[in-house]
Amino acid sequence: SGRTACRGWGTEARGTVTAISRSVAAPAATMQLRFLKTVLQPAEGIQKCTSITWSPNSKRMAAVTTDRVVQLFDEHGEKKDKFSTKPADPAGPKNFVVRGMAFSPDSTKLAIGQSDNIVFVYKLGLEWGEKKSICNKFLQHSAITALVWPSNRHNELVFSLSEGKVKVGALKTNKASTLYAHPDGAYCVSLAASPDGGSVCSGHMDGSIWVFSFDDGAGARLCTHSCVPYALSWGAAVVAAGSDRKVAFYNAHSRAGNGAAAPPQVFDYGSDETVREFASAAFNPAGETVAVGSFDQFRVFTYHESRSAWEEAGVKEVQNMYTVTALGWKPDGSSLAVGALCGNVDLYDACIRRHRYKGAFEFTYVSTSNVIVKRLSTQSRIVLKSHFGYQVSGINIYRDRFLVAHTADTLLLGDLETCRLSEVPWNGSGQERYDFDTERVCVVHSAERGELSVVEYGRNEVLGTCRTSHTNPNLLSVRVSESRADVNGRGESKKIAYLVDLQTVRITDLNGGAGDG
């Protein structure tokens, strides 16, 4: 194909890679991207990759080009299946283009928006080989231009129309309703969902970017970008870019004194002849790193928390790749898929750093707050994530099974066999001891406070605490039974017995009941 992949960072020359030459301080944690393989080969001519999406469970990736065939890959980028999309009119010609795709939050369905005025929802199931079927369709009066499936809207997907409307499709009723509409009917060119799934934003032909919140049910103009925001994504900020070669980061929640959006942070490449218009953008799952695609290259920007500013982290150049038309981060943050004008899709390994632990585990930091823990003997993996976005500072594994990690304000505990993880507020000294003798819970001994804390794996709160100076494991008993419990946990037996003094045993009900002396 004549394409040359450059495995590294840099902009010094085509086909070579060096450190990016710019007088800015390096970010505290720089994302490193390493070429893995080409999962979809390029065509002889133009066959634009129009959409790439990953299932939330990170098990599948879907990619589609202008040939209208959806290619399905497993978590390693191996092609496993494919199917042809259908026109809105079964008897009509196949002259449409797939404008957007998105998996459902439970990873069992795939929504496909098409330029022939329809959204199809395919039921794929969780396992390869399950029968595919169309479970929903939303026929409209104008072309679908973009599509997203917010992470907390399990039965509602969002799509935009060429007439400037943004609609929500309800799977239960099979009906679509308008969330908001551009007042002048400006063509909607791009769509993005917030990381928490509570909001969506849309970019329009007049340069305006609108935001809709599901909580208050209202749409409002966020800003007017300097050009048509063809590249639009939402992470720690809303990033927008287009033909004027400017990349702007907007704070979706910060407002100036007059109620308008706060001024954006802008990177202007208008004077750089090696940079052409930007066509695509995608944030990593943590929202702190974004890739922005242009011609023969894509640039990466990282948020520097201590400076409260975005910084250039590097640029990846690939000769003869042509325009990067689609980008998709794997939900666990470990891979970036890059689609281009000739239909090729390349996979890149993404991490901040990677190291081995006692020769038995591998820790891959895909962001400051997300770490993939892999057992080398079985290749099984679990994603350790701070739900508060805090930086994970240290990880230890006890008994080849139990995981303990710290952030500045929280404690993370996990069971690698059950894949249950917990994150609880914590301000300890770092000298705590951990008791893993009881299934489902960890008992944390804090000698500094003379306190025992019980944490149940899978719950992000401390189950209970007690004060005692008798912390020998032989003088402590915790029992957690999950039998006869309702959906709220009522009916579960959760108790701790410990010594108050040498003559007194106290039994405390961790469900909130009274203790018995």
Side-chain angles (χ1 to χ4, degrees), residues 50 73 121 147 330 457:
T50 58
F73 305 85
V121 180
L147 182 147
K330 193 174 182 180
Y457 304 122

Side-chain angles (χ1 to χ4, degrees), residues 62-64 67-72 81-85 98 101 110 112:
V64 67
D67 69 356
R68 298 175 292 275
V69 176
V70 177
Q71 307 284 346
L72 295 172
D81 201 358
K82 66 179 181 179
F83 65 92
S84 296
T85 52
V98 174
M101 299 191 299
L110 179 66
I112 299 177

Side-chain angles (χ1 to χ4, degrees), residues 207-270:
S208 64
I209 298 176
W210 289 70
V211 174
F212 176 89
S213 170
F214 288 100
D215 288 337
D216 57 30
R221 185 192 296 264
L222 172 66
C223 61
T224 298
H225 186 57
S226 54
C227 66
V228 182
Y230 287 107
L232 184 71
S233 190
W234 195 339
V238 173
V239 66
S243 59
D244 66 354
R245 295 179 286 175
K246 294 179 181 179
V247 179
F249 292 87
Y250 297 92
N251 190 325
H253 307 290
S254 176
R255 298 283 175 176
N258 60 1
Q265 183 179 351
V266 180
F267 295 83
D268 190 351
Y269 299 95

